[in-house]
C-alpha cells in the first residue's frame, strides 16, 4: 500500500506536536506547518514549514499535495487568562477565522481527501453551563447559540464553514469539540497556559505548607482529557465515516479547587488555596460522551489522576530545570 500523507496545521503546538509523533508511528508521511517549532522536543515531521497560515500564499505553498488527511489545529488560543479577559478578542477572531477560511478553500482545490477541524467545548451556550453540578454539553445543545467568549463564537463559525464546504463541495470533514486537553510538553508558563498546567506549575513552585492562588471561588467545574486519549479518539474519528461535530473529552468532572487538591496529593505537598478574583469562564462544564461512545465506541481508558501525575512530573522537571538556570 502506498504511504499515506498528512498535513498538520499547528504542528508546533501542544496537540499538533503529539499528533505528528502518533502519525509517524502509524507510518504516515507528515508535513507540519506553524509559526514556530515545537517548544520542548524536536518535531517528528518529515517536512516542517515555518509559515503564517493567515497568509494565502503560504497556504497555497503547503497545499500542493492531495493529502490523505489534513489536521487543522492552528488557532490563536490560550487558557482563561488569554481568552476570557477580552483583550485578545479581535486577534482571536481574525487570526483563527482567516486560517480556517484559507484552509477550507484550498483543501477543496488541492483535492484533500479528509480534513479534521479542532473545535472546542467553548462553543456551547453559556446558559446551559450555569450550574456547576449539572452542565449540559450534548452535541445537540449547541443552538440557540450563546458561547461565552469570542473564541467560542469563532469555533462555531468555523464548524459551520467546514460543514458548508462539505455540503457545497463534498469536502470530507471531521469536526471534534475538545474539552480541555492536557498533558506533557504543553504550555506551562507565560500567560497562555491552561488550568491543569498552571495548577501543576504553582504546586511545583511552592514549598510544602505554602499557599497557591486559584482564580474564582474554585467551585467552577470542568473535565480534562489526557493527550494520549485525545489522539486515540482523533485517529478513530478520522478512520470512521462519522462527520461530527462530536465531543472529545472526559466525563470525570472536578472542581478547580478539587483539581488543585489532586495536584497537591500527587506532589505529596500540603498547600493552602487562596481563591482570588480572575477570569474563569462558565460555572460548569463536562463532556457528554454519549455520541462518541455510540458512533466510535470510544471512551477514555485512564483516570484524571493518572494523566495528571505524568503532567505534574513533567512540569516539576521544567520548574527544577528553570531554577537550575536562574541560580
Ligand atoms: P496550541 O496553541 O499549542 O497550538 C496551536 C498552534 O497554532 C500553535 O503552535 C500556534 O503557533 C499555531 N498558530 C497560531 N496561529 C498561526 C498562524 N497564523 N499560522 C500558523 N500557525 C499558527 O494549542 P493546542 O492546545 O495544541 O490546540 C490545538 C487546537 O485545538 C486549537 O485549534 C485549539 O483551539 C483547539 N482546542 C484545544 C483545546 C485544549 O484543551 N488544548 C481545547 C479546545 C480546543
Amino acid at each position: 500500500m502506498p504511504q499515506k500523507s498528512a498535513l498538520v496545521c499547528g504542528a508546533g503546538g501542544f496537540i499538533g506536536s503529539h499528533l505528528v509523533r502518533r502519525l509517524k508511528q502509524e507510518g504516515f508521511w507528515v508535513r507540519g506547518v506553524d509559526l514556530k517549532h515545537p517548544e520542548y522536543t524536536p518535531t517528528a515531521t518529515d517536512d516542517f514549514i515555518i509559515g503564517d497560515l493567515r497568509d494565502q500564499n503560504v497556504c497555497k505553498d503547503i497545499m500542493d499535495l492531495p493529502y490523505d488527511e489534513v489536521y487543522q489545529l492552528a488557532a490563536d488560543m490560550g487558557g482563561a487568562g488569554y481568552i476570557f479577559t477580552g483583550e485578545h478578542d479581535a486577534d482571536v477572531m481574525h487570526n483563527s477565522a482567516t486560517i480556517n477560511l484559507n484552509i477550507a478553500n484550498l483543501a477543496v482545490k488541492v483535492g484533500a481527501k479528509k480534513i479534521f477541524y479542532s473545535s472546542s467545548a467553548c462553543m456551547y451556550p453559556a446558559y446551559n453551563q450555569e450550574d456547576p453540578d449539572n452542565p449540559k454539553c450534548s452535541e445537540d445543545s449547541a443552538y440557540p447559540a450563546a458561547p461565552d467568549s469570542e473564541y467560542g463564537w469563532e469555533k462555531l463559525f468555523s464548524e459551520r464553514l467546514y460543514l458548508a464546504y462539505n455540503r457545497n463541495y463534498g469536502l470530507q470533514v471531521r469536526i471534534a469539540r475538545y474539552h480541555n486537553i492536557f498533558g506533557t510538553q504543553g504550555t506551562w508558563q507565560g500567560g497562555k497556559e491552561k488550568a491543569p498546567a498552571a495548577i501543576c506549575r504553582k504546586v511545583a513552585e511552592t514549598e510544602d505548607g505554602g499557599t497557591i492562588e486559584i482564580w474564582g471561588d474554585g467551585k467552577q467545574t470542568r473535565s480534562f482529557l489526557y493527550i494520549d486519549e485525545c489522539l486515540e479518539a482523533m485517529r478513530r474519528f478520522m478512520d470512521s465515516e462519522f462527520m461530527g461535530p462530536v465531543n472529545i473529552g472526559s466525563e470525570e468532572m472536578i472542581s478547580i479547587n478539587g483539581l488543585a487538591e489532586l495536584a497537591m496529593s500527587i506532589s505529596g505537598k500540603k498547600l493552602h488555596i487562596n481563591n482570588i478574583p480572575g477570569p474563569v469562564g462558565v460555572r460548569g462544564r463536562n463532556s457528554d460522551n454519549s455520541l462518541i461512545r455510540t458512533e466510535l465506541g470510544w471512551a477514555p481508558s485512564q483516570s484524571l489522576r493518572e494523566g495528571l501525575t505524568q503532567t505534574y512530573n513533567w512540569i516539576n522537571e521544567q520548574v527544577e530545570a528553570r531554577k537550575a538556570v536562574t541560580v
Side-chain angles (χ1 to χ4, degrees):
M1 216 170 70
Q3 189 178 26
K4 279 192 169 184
S5 60
L7 172 70
V8 178
C9 302
F14 165 54
I15 299 175
S17 55
H18 281 277
L19 172 66
V20 167
R21 272 193 294 280
R22 168 91 193 225
L23 291 170
K24 286 306 300 169
Q25 282 162 11
E26 290 187 33
F28 279 76
W29 180 88
V30 184
R31 173 181 282 164
V33 57
D34 201 301
L35 292 169
K36 60 175 176 66
H37 289 280
E39 253 165 89
Y40 307 106
T41 45
T43 180
T45 50
D46 297 283
D47 183 25
F48 192 95
I49 295 172
I50 292 287
D52 188 336
L53 294 165
R54 290 169 300 183
D55 182 337
Q56 284 193 10
N57 292 322
V58 169
C59 292
K60 278 184 195 146
D61 286 348
I62 57 152
M63 284 291 200
D64 61 347
L65 296 172
Y67 298 100
D68 292 294
E69 302 192 0
V70 174
Y71 292 85
Q72 199 324 68
L73 306 171
D76 190 359
M77 66 95 70
Y82 190 71
I83 59 174
F84 294 129
T85 59
E87 286 164 30
H88 309 284
D89 284 352
D91 286 346
V92 164
M93 296 187 91
H94 171 87
N95 294 341
S96 298
T98 307
I99 296 170
N100 286 311
L101 289 164
N102 286 342
I103 296 294
N105 193 36
L106 287 165
V108 171
K109 292 209 168 116
V110 80
K113 295 194 182 66
K114 229 181 255 181
I115 181 162
F116 175 95
Y117 173 58
S118 51
S119 182
S120 163
C122 288
M123 49 59 62
Y124 282 115
Y127 57 76
N128 278 335
Q129 303 174 79
E130 283 162 10
D131 176 358
D133 298 322
N134 203 15
K136 181 171 179 187
C137 290
S138 56
E139 288 81 351
D140 60 4
S141 69
Y143 296 95
D148 75 330
S149 65
E150 301 302 356
Y151 169 76
W153 277 106
E154 190 282 325
K155 289 292 186 193
L156 197 56
F157 164 77
S158 291
E159 283 190 6
R160 299 187 67 97
L161 175 77
Y162 286 104
L163 290 171
Y165 269 83
N166 172 263
R167 284 196 306 278
N168 296 162
Y169 297 111
L171 183 64
Q172 284 302 308
V173 299
R174 300 287 180 273
I175 299 172
R177 294 173 178 161
Y178 291 147
H179 289 246
N180 300 313
I181 313 304
F182 75 101
T184 61
Q185 294 166 43
T187 306
W188 59 280
Q189 62 175 350
K192 280 195 163 188
E193 65 279 19
K194 306 179 93 192
I199 287 173
C200 286
R201 188 199 67 232
K202 288 176 189 181
V203 171
E205 285 171 346
T206 309
E207 298 287 325
D208 201 7
T211 300
I212 56 168
E213 291 182 338
I214 298 288
W215 288 344
D217 63 7
K219 293 182 183 144
Q220 65 274 28
T221 53
R222 292 293 184 276
S223 67
F224 302 92
L225 183 71
Y226 191 61
I227 181 69
D228 293 354
E229 310 260 21
C230 171
L231 297 176
E232 177 61 28
M234 287 171 72
R235 294 294 302 120
R236 281 202 207 182
F237 188 26
M238 278 301 254
D239 285 344
S240 79
E241 293 305 311
F242 182 53
M243 208 163 68
V246 69
N247 292 327
I248 293 186
S250 155
E251 291 178 319
E252 189 182 338
M253 192 168 79
I254 188 168
S255 71
I256 295 299
N257 276 1
L259 185 67
E261 301 280 358
L262 189 57
M264 286 178 215
S265 110
I266 290 166
S267 73
K269 296 181 191 175
K270 284 207 170 23
L271 307 174
H272 305 282
I273 295 176
N274 183 18
N275 288 108
I276 57 161
V280 289
V282 294
R283 288 298 292 156
R285 177 174 291 151
N286 194 11
S287 186
D288 179 332
N289 287 355
S290 315
L291 187 62
I292 197 165
R293 262 195 303 272
T294 309
E295 292 290 340
L296 305 179
W298 175 86
S301 64
Q302 62 177 28
S303 65
L304 172 61
R305 187 180 185 99
E306 287 170 85
L308 199 66
T309 302
Q310 279 161 280
T311 309
Y312 177 80
N313 289 341
W314 181 79
I315 291 179
N316 194 34
E317 280 168 25
Q318 310 306 306
V319 170
E320 291 301 320
R322 190 184 56 187
K323 264 194 224 154
V325 172
T326 46
V327 165

